[in-house]
Amino acid sequence: MTDRSALAEAAIDRLIAAIAAGDTEAAAAAYHPDARIWHNYDQIEQTVEQNLRTLRWLIGRMPERRYEDVVRRPIDGG
């Protein structure tokens, strides 16, 4: 694993843990400020702030969350 891959894995781990814990501040810290979040199911791209609004809404309506089957597929360029 390259240093870059290890950093990406660590960021993903922080993001998933933050969402599961309901900590949107920690989730925000896991994103690069210029990140774009793409949805594979509707082809829509969100800014970090748009995605955080969605996460806040989700966390407010689903007080218990967990990830059981996390699949990661590295892509060229990040």
Side-chain angles (χ1 to χ4, degrees):
M1 181 178 293
T2 66
D3 288 343
R4 186 174 177 157
S5 295
L7 289 172
E9 288 284 326
I12 293 165
D13 289 341
R14 287 192 308 273
L15 179 62
I16 291 171
I19 295 169
D23 186 348
T24 56
E25 293 302 317
Y31 286 123
H32 183 281
D34 296 331
R36 293 296 177 260
I37 297 83
W38 177 72
H39 302 167
N40 66 339
Y41 57 89
D42 61 7
Q43 314 303 304
I44 291 176
E45 185 178 274
Q46 288 183 316
T47 64
V48 171
E49 187 51 44
Q50 289 169 326
N51 187 255
L52 291 172
R53 274 196 305 266
T54 301
L55 288 176
R56 289 181 194 109
W57 178 88
L58 176 74
I59 289 165
R61 279 149 188 80
M62 295 176 62
E64 294 183 33
R65 293 158 308 285
R66 68 178 183 269
Y67 291 89
E68 294 181 355
D69 188 14
V70 177
V71 176
R72 298 175 182 167
R73 293 192 177 103
I75 59 171
D76 291 337

